[in-house]
Amino acid sequence: MIEGNIMHTAGLGRPDAARALEGRVAIVTGSTSGIGLAIAAALAADGASIVINGLGDHADVENLCHVLGARYDVSTRYDAADLARPGAVVDMVDRTVRAFGPVDILVSNAGIQHVAPIEEFAPERWDAILAVNLSAVFHATRAVLPEMKQRGWGRIINVASAHGLVGSAFKSAYVAAKHGVVGLTKVTALETAEFGITCNAVCPGYVWTPLVERQVAAQAAAHGISPEDVVRTVMLAEQPTKRFATVEEIAGTVRFLCSAVAASVTGAAIAVDGGWTAH
Ligand code: NAD
């Protein structure tokens, strides 16, 4: 399954393409699936050593690392850190430094979702979403910054959401966390601007991934409509292109932000949302 996804993202870069990130070390959180996996493939295509992180069957993910490493001739490793635990985030960065050297690129992408009206929103769900979608971004950023500052180069990319810019009903924790990520991105950019480090948020609209697929039934229940109507009248209603963005389109934006010509792009929240937030 995961291997199928990596094959699907193969168009992102040929193994013989210019390797702008050769020698760089990248952590991509939540890269066992969806958008994160496409980002990991894109950065590997550019020659970076990659730490894959996320939930999943260990053997499957080890196999994914093997396929990715062989395809792009880069070093890869799997770190199963549970980002809901602050200590685990810091340990993941420590293990990366020991295995590959200091972290040059941090892509905080892992995210979870829960859909319910506020009065029915379980407090534990709120805490879990804030921990994974927001606090883990802070803990990872905090852990990588000293080395980046010392070496005068770094790329921090936070995968936020169109929901970091606008709200939607029934997504209180997610919208709050993603707005928080956009705010943290700005502060990180301001504190690092003179150190050769950039920090930006990428704000996707709806992208067809397991996270969205799982939401369809929950949204149908919350809105009292059919799954087909969720896609048509809830998800794509706000997205003027009337199609889901692709994981490759999100990964391409991250790849650009890691490139030399993006050195002056910092503190930005870049919408890749089919025009959603242009409304
Ligand atoms: P996905 O469910 O396919 O992938 C989420 C990843 O996060 C997986 O690798 C999962 O294992 C990992 N993860 C979840 N909990 C974790 C934990 N406690 N510790 C470590 N890893 C954990 O989802 P996706 O759609 O690819 O989403 C990726 C990011 O993009 C998320 O931050 C999401 O909020 C954001 N996003 C997605 C969409 C969309 O439409 N798919 C839109 C906007 C933003």
Side-chain angles (χ1 to χ4, degrees), residues 139-196:
H139 295 300
T141 301
R142 187 172 181 276
V144 300
L145 272 187
E147 291 268 21
M148 283 185 180
K149 281 186 169 177
Q150 204 181 333
R151 288 174 310 116
W153 199 91
R155 292 286 185 271
I156 299 175
I157 294 139
N158 299 324
V159 178
S161 169
H163 283 124
L165 305 170
V166 297
S168 286
F170 311 128
K171 295 187 173 178
S172 52
Y174 187 86
V175 169
K178 294 298 189 181
H179 275 68
V181 168
V182 171
L184 175 60
T185 299
K186 292 175 183 172
V187 174
T188 306
L190 293 173
E191 291 186 15
T192 58
E194 292 185 57
F195 293 87

Side-chain angles (χ1 to χ4, degrees), residues 191-211:
E191 291 186 15
T192 58
E194 292 185 57
F195 293 87
I197 300 167
T198 68
C199 179
N200 293 284
V202 176
C203 298
Y206 277 106
V207 186
W208 191 255
T209 67
L211 180 135

Side-chain angles (χ1 to χ4, degrees), residues 56-131:
D57 177 84
H58 277 238
D60 276 357
V61 184
E62 293 294 353
N63 186 43
L64 162 66
C65 285
H66 176 74
V67 171
L68 194 68
R71 176 166 185 83
Y72 296 112
D73 191 23
V74 295
S75 301
T76 57
R77 66 184 303 273
Y78 174 40
D79 196 303
D82 175 0
L83 301 185
R85 296 177 38 241
V89 180
V90 175
D91 290 347
M92 173 178 68
V93 173
D94 286 348
R95 281 189 293 268
T96 302
V97 174
R98 281 201 299 277
F100 288 162
V103 179
D104 300 292
I105 299 167
L106 170 66
V107 184
S108 285
N109 163 80
I112 53 175
Q113 175 64 285
H114 180 65
V115 179
I118 292 174
E119 64 274 25
E120 294 167 22
F121 212 98
E124 325 62 90
R125 294 276 200 173
W126 169 277
D127 289 343
I129 289 176
L130 269 286

Side-chain angles (χ1 to χ4, degrees), residues 204-231:
Y206 277 106
V207 186
W208 191 255
T209 67
L211 180 135
V212 165
E213 213 173 337
R214 284 191 295 271
Q215 261 178 71
V216 173
Q219 289 258 30
H223 288 272
I225 57 178
S226 71
E228 295 72 27
D229 281 346
V230 167
V231 171

